[in-house]
Amino acid sequence: MKVIMLPLLCICIALSLTACSEPSTGQTSLSTDRLTSDRVIAAQLSDDATISALLTRKHHLSVWDNDSKSLINEWNESDFIEELYHISLSGNKRLLGTAGKHRVSIFDIQTGKLTVTWQVDGFDPEARITSLHLSHTGNEVLIGLNEGSVFTVDLVNDQMSMFLVHDGPVTRVKYAAHNQQVMSASHDGHVLFWAATTGKVIHEYINQFRITSVSYDEANRKIFVADALDNQFIADSLTTQALSRLDYLERYRYFRQALFVERGKILITSSSKQELASWDVQTGKELAKWNITAFSAGTTVLSMAADSSGTLWSLSSDGALETWAIESLHISRSGL
């Protein structure tokens, strides 16, 4: 087992659908479309940025076509057995997984029909679901719990395994190595890669505090890990060798979402509020910093994805879907 141990924007009040913030360093969105006026508590863009899934605080779940901005399907509170907190799109965009505190349900995106649902019970009677991930086909499901355990579920073979791999709530789960491995992140400060069949830890990354952001780029062998108190790094995901740290002047900088683009050469990060930034992965230098469009105070990015044309897509807690030209984000701030 290998281990790495590394060490007043204006508040906007929306009176209408008019944006109340502008990019801070000249970055202008190519498009801005608000898919819902309700506050969004969970959202996900598909990997190719063609569809969006949104869950609002009014318990409304919807899936949208990003090109036409048309509604593909929707579900209301009466369609769920319990209140929802987590959603996950399958990689092939055919299924949508949902989870409350104790139950997982999977819906067919095109027909809207419920395909399967089951109760999740952990080692601890008080355990509740804290993270959810569907594989490319949606036939395999990962479920993280607040007690530190992770369920691996094979729906085709009707098999379920449970592994106690963390000492705190599991906030992120994802399949790796063609579903042979699982990546999990937790409030215990650990990011683990472990065998999906045995639970044996293969790689381990350790920070001092709870993990707030993880981005795993399997194709380009890179991983970004950040915790709640200024500890972050970019590493090789196979050798665990540290490649760089992000270089900034602030004493503390909180990272929420992160995404590798341009074949792993550029990292895009979001803050806990409106800010996005781009970074040179090799040097850790900040290239650009700008704001998403805000329709309310406290808005933040919930999901990001890049399409094949070189466009970055962001989806916010205001339900705003925005696009940005990745090429323009390569420009050093000193040249803006």
Side-chain angles (χ1 to χ4, degrees), residues 55 58-62 73-84 96 98 103-107 111-117:
L55 173 65
K58 293 184 177 180
H59 317 302
H60 180 260
L61 179 63
S62 58
N73 225 317
E74 62 182 335
W75 300 262
N76 294 304
E77 187 175 8
S78 59
D79 296 309
F80 314 120
I81 297 176
E82 65 176 7
E83 185 174 349
L84 300 184
L96 177 62
T98 67
R103 178 172 291 274
V104 171
S105 301
I106 298 178
F107 294 87
T111 66
K113 293 183 179 179
L114 177 68
T115 63
V116 63
T117 183

Side-chain angles (χ1 to χ4, degrees), residues 246-248 250 253 269 275-280 283-289 329 331-334:
L246 303 187
D247 184 13
Y248 47 86
E250 298 95 328
R253 195 155 173 181
T269 62
E275 186 181 273
L276 288 174
S278 61
W279 309 82
D280 185 299
T283 65
K285 297 293 184 182
E286 186 178 86
L287 302 176
K289 184 166 62 176
L329 309 180
I331 304 171
S332 172
R333 294 182 66 197
S334 61

Side-chain angles (χ1 to χ4, degrees), residues 93 199 205 289 325:
K93 301 174 291 186
Y205 303 86
K289 184 166 62 176

Side-chain angles (χ1 to χ4, degrees), residues 30-322:
L30 301 175
S31 63
T32 301
D33 297 276
R34 200 174 187 193
L35 302 180
T36 178
S37 59
D38 295 331
R39 189 71 172 176
V40 177
I41 61 172
Q44 185 183 349
L45 288 159
S46 62
D47 291 339
D48 61 2
T50 58
I51 68 172
S52 297
L54 300 91
L55 173 65
T56 73
R57 65 181 177 183
K58 293 184 177 180
H59 317 302
H60 180 260
L61 179 63
S62 58
V63 179
W64 297 77
D65 181 288
N66 290 343
D67 184 39
S68 64
K69 310 303 184 296
S70 60
L71 184 66
I72 298 174
N73 225 317
E74 62 182 335
W75 300 262
N76 294 304
E77 187 175 8
S78 59
D79 296 309
F80 314 120
I81 297 176
E82 65 176 7
E83 185 174 349
L84 300 184
Y85 298 96
H86 312 283
I87 61 175
S88 178
L89 288 165
S90 65
N92 61 11
K93 301 174 291 186
R94 295 179 180 177
L95 300 174
L96 177 62
T98 67
K101 292 183 177 180
H102 306 289
R103 178 172 291 274
V104 171
S105 301
I106 298 178
F107 294 87
D108 185 292
I109 289 175
Q110 292 298 327
T111 66
K113 293 183 179 179
L114 177 68
T115 63
V116 63
T117 183
W118 69 94
Q119 181 84 12
V120 177
D121 297 311
F123 292 110
D124 187 327
E126 301 300 320
R128 58 180 176 81
I129 298 169
T130 51
S131 54
L132 178 69
H133 173 73
L134 267 60
S135 68
H136 179 78
T137 62
N139 292 328
E140 297 84 21
V141 183
L142 296 173
I143 308 162
L145 276 66
N146 66 333
E147 64 182 6
S149 62
V150 176
F151 279 92
T152 63
V153 182
D154 184 336
L155 295 175
V156 173
N157 297 307
D158 195 24
Q159 294 179 346
M160 182 182 299
S161 300
M162 188 176 180
F163 303 95
L164 186 60
V165 291
H166 289 282
D167 293 325
V170 179
T171 55
R172 177 77 184 275
V173 284
K174 182 181 177 68
Y175 275 112
H178 306 289
N179 293 2
Q180 299 303 304
Q181 295 179 20
V182 175
M183 184 200 76
S184 59
S186 170
H187 281 183
D188 64 8
H190 292 226
V191 177
L192 306 178
F193 283 80
W194 45 276
T197 55
T198 66
K200 181 181 178 181
V201 174
I202 299 166
H203 296 307
E204 183 175 12
Y205 303 86
I206 302 176
N207 269 358
Q208 292 178 273
F209 302 95
R210 65 182 178 90
I211 302 300
T212 62
S213 181
V214 178
S215 179
Y216 172 50
D217 181 359
E218 184 167 18
N220 297 290
R221 293 177 43 174
K222 290 184 175 66
I223 185 169
F224 170 71
V225 177
D227 71 13
L229 198 61
D230 215 29
N231 301 294
Q232 45 71 28
F233 58 87
I234 298 169
D236 185 301
S237 63
L238 289 185
T239 67
T240 70
Q241 178 183 359
L243 302 176
S244 62
R245 287 176 55 90
L246 303 187
D247 184 13
Y248 47 86
L249 295 177
E250 298 95 328
R251 184 178 179 185
Y252 298 115
R253 195 155 173 181
Y254 186 95
F255 299 98
R256 187 181 180 115
Q257 302 295 325
L259 177 71
F260 286 99
V261 298
E262 297 292 88
R263 297 181 179 180
K265 296 178 181 178
I266 304 295
L267 178 71
I268 309 295
T269 62
S270 73
S271 70
S272 58
K273 293 192 178 179
Q274 301 166 14
E275 186 181 273
L276 288 174
S278 61
W279 309 82
D280 185 299
V281 167
Q282 184 175 2
T283 65
K285 297 293 184 182
E286 186 178 86
L287 302 176
K289 184 166 62 176
W290 69 103
N291 286 347
I292 62 171
T293 303
F295 293 87
S296 65
T299 188
T300 187
V301 172
L302 296 180
S303 184
M304 295 188 293
D307 65 23
S308 58
S309 68
T311 300
L312 173 71
W313 296 68
S314 63
L315 186 56
S316 77
S317 56
D318 284 334
L321 180 67
E322 294 193 87

